[in-house]
Amino acid sequence: MTGGLCLFLWTWADQRIKVLKLQAFMLFPIALLASSLFFLSLGEVLWGVRTP
């Protein structure tokens, strides 16, 4: 009984880790793109303020 339960928990945790890894792998480029766009717009605003 306990062996089956341990196996079930192990496979469940393994699946969760795989899903989280996949989500992180998919979200990383999106976050990178969003932050780069944010910094670009921030730079444009600062550049526009600096040079009238």
Side-chain angles (χ1 to χ4, degrees):
M1 181 64 188
T2 49
L5 189 64
C6 282
L7 190 67
F8 170 74
L9 285 172
W10 181 257
T11 50
W12 180 79
D14 196 41
Q15 289 297 319
R16 290 298 305 157
I17 290 166
K18 281 178 184 168
V19 167
L20 286 171
K21 277 184 185 173
L22 188 68
Q23 284 177 347
F25 189 69
M26 287 171 67
L27 284 173
F28 182 69
I30 297 170
L32 206 64
L33 187 69
S35 62
S36 63
L37 283 172
F38 172 73
F39 281 120
L40 273 172
S41 60
L42 194 70
E44 278 188 8
V45 166
L46 290 174
W47 195 254
V49 167
R50 204 176 297 155
T51 57

